Amino acid sequence: MDTLVLHGGRPLSGRIAVSGAKNAALPAMAAALLCPGEHRLRRVPRLADVATLSRLLAHMGVAIERGSGRRGGELRLVSPAACRPEAPYDLVKTMRASVLVLGPLLARQGRARVSLPGGCAIGARPIDQHLKALAALGADIRLAHGYVEAEAPPGGLRGAHVPFDVPTVTGTENVLMAASLARGRTVLTNAAREPEVEDLARALISMGARISGAGGDVIEIEGVEGLNPLAHEVIPDRIEAGTLLVAAAATGGEVTLDGARPDQLEALIDKLREAGSRVEEIDGALWLRSPARASAVAVRTAPYPGFPTDMQAQVMALAAVAEGSSVIEETVFENRFMHALELRRMGADITVTGRTAIVRGVRKLSGAPVMATDLRASASLVVAGLAAEGRTVVQRVYHLDRGYDRLERKLRSLGARIRRVAAG
Ligand code: UD1
């Protein structure tokens, strides 16, 4: 297993382009199951999760090719006339987002057999809302031997009112895709409002779907008989952008991010300003300059447009070196503070009680060997390592590789001393 070796204490400085969003690329890839033909996706990041979903789609009969050279961000997906509607455990277990194939398979093939997902160890993460919604569209759903077995009624799925009990990102995306090919009209209420949901809606609309309201909590879908292949450019990754901004703030640095969308990062930018950074949009890029030491912040995660749970771990690393006491409350997932223990091994002063962490900032963290426990926790350890004195070795980097496109190269180009040591 690869490790990352960092020598901290140097402010990040420079300019860099943000990659495509993992959480927008994955549902757009799944959308290729909705109709046969040649689909094209641009700005697809190079990530382990993208490779995993590619393998899963290939298992279903989709041929996938990545462009080379300057077209390296382009994915060409050729969907067959009929897909094999099965997602086996071995391919699904490492990535919860695999569940995104359920809606499209059911809509197009009339049936699907999808293993119950694995993914990050950050709480129970059920898929009851996905299943309830697909059942409302008429699907017959059974759970057997660790698999979801779903079948559409004769004549196919039919539109319905789908009230979500909790706003779920991939749940909303699954139903958006399924309802696009259902008979009649579907209305989703309490839908997730994340920019990635809106990006998927845009992709589906370009395929001929009739969707309105995406980005809000009520979405209407008028089913159509068939869709055309996809040609779509994925939005930039707001979490990668956010991670780089936080890393700059934690090191007292100054960075400019090309492609970052300030309108999709408002909650984070607010907190970075509260921590003393200047953040501006300059000529279509996002610029941040941090004071030598950040100030404490109060953060409460919430569904979009609230503060993203996917930035909570990184902000905790920032709070660990900020002046004063920060309060961080996690309301989206119930077990997402594993990084706190590792940060403490680097000298952070953090007390966790239930879903709240109190972080008393220290002047300096000290480098240490640490272990990544999930995707965003790994990013938090990298941020901490950049801010720490001495050498930090982050183990289990495969978690980081699930969701960041060559993060160490990007950080190196911003002046960080970080290198990957390959296993073996
Ligand atoms: C997506 C993101 C992930 C992010 C999360 C929350 C992708 C591929 N992943 O994950 O990076 O951390 O949104 O912003 O887009 N829930 C249920 N029942 C369900 C579904 C969800 O109770 O059927 C609960 C979850 O346990 C959680 C909350 O709803 O407490 C939000 O989860 P959800 O939005 O579904 O997360 P994901 O779509 O898995």
Side-chain angles (χ1 to χ4, degrees), residues 22-23 26-27 96-97 100 122 124-131 166-171 173 192 194 196 238 309-310 331-334 336 376:
K22 166 175 96 74
N23 288 353
L26 297 175
R96 185 185 153 77
L100 283 167
I122 53 171
R125 301 188 82 170
I127 57 163
D128 58 302
Q129 297 298 309
H130 301 235
L131 303 184
V166 285
T168 151
V169 175
T170 48
E173 291 166 348
E194 269 69 1
E196 294 77 16
R238 65 194 167 99
T309 172
D310 283 352
T331 75
V332 180
F333 291 114
E334 71 272 23
R336 207 173 196 182
R376 305 304 169 186

Side-chain angles (χ1 to χ4, degrees), residues 341-405:
L341 283 174
E342 294 298 297
L343 292 172
R344 268 163 49 181
R345 298 188 56 254
M346 299 177 71
D349 182 352
I350 304 171
T351 314
V352 174
T353 315
R355 292 185 170 208
T356 304
I358 310 282
V359 187
R360 288 165 220 88
V362 296
R363 277 212 161 269
K364 276 285 169 209
L365 294 174
S366 64
V370 286
M371 181 116 48
T373 49
D374 66 61
L375 168 55
R376 305 304 169 186
S378 349
S380 130
L381 298 176
V382 169
V383 170
L386 294 170
E389 258 167 4
R391 183 170 184 261
T392 295
V393 181
V394 183
Q395 291 171 32
R396 301 207 176 158
V397 175
Y398 58 85
H399 287 296
L400 191 80
D401 295 338
R402 282 191 43 211
Y404 288 91
D405 187 345

Side-chain angles (χ1 to χ4, degrees), residues 54 105 116 120 132-133 136 277 301 337 366 376 408:
S54 297
L105 286 178
L116 287 164
C120 278
K132 188 178 125 181
S277 283
T301 66
F337 279 146
S366 64
R376 305 304 169 186
E408 75 274 11

Side-chain angles (χ1 to χ4, degrees), residues 176-239:
L176 265 184
M177 292 189 275
S180 291
L181 285 178
R183 276 180 296 135
R185 186 178 147 98
T186 298
V187 180
L188 311 183
T189 51
N190 200 19
R193 298 162 63 187
E194 269 69 1
E196 294 77 16
V197 172
E198 208 180 336
D199 196 48
L200 174 65
R202 218 174 299 123
L204 293 170
I205 289 167
S206 80
M207 296 171 82
R210 294 175 58 195
I211 299 172
S212 61
D217 58 1
V218 178
I219 306 180
E220 293 186 20
I221 306 126
E222 195 68 55
V224 295
E225 288 220 344
L227 295 168
N228 310 308
L230 171 72
H232 181 67
E233 181 171 85
V234 172
I235 51 171
D237 198 312
R238 65 194 167 99
I239 305 300

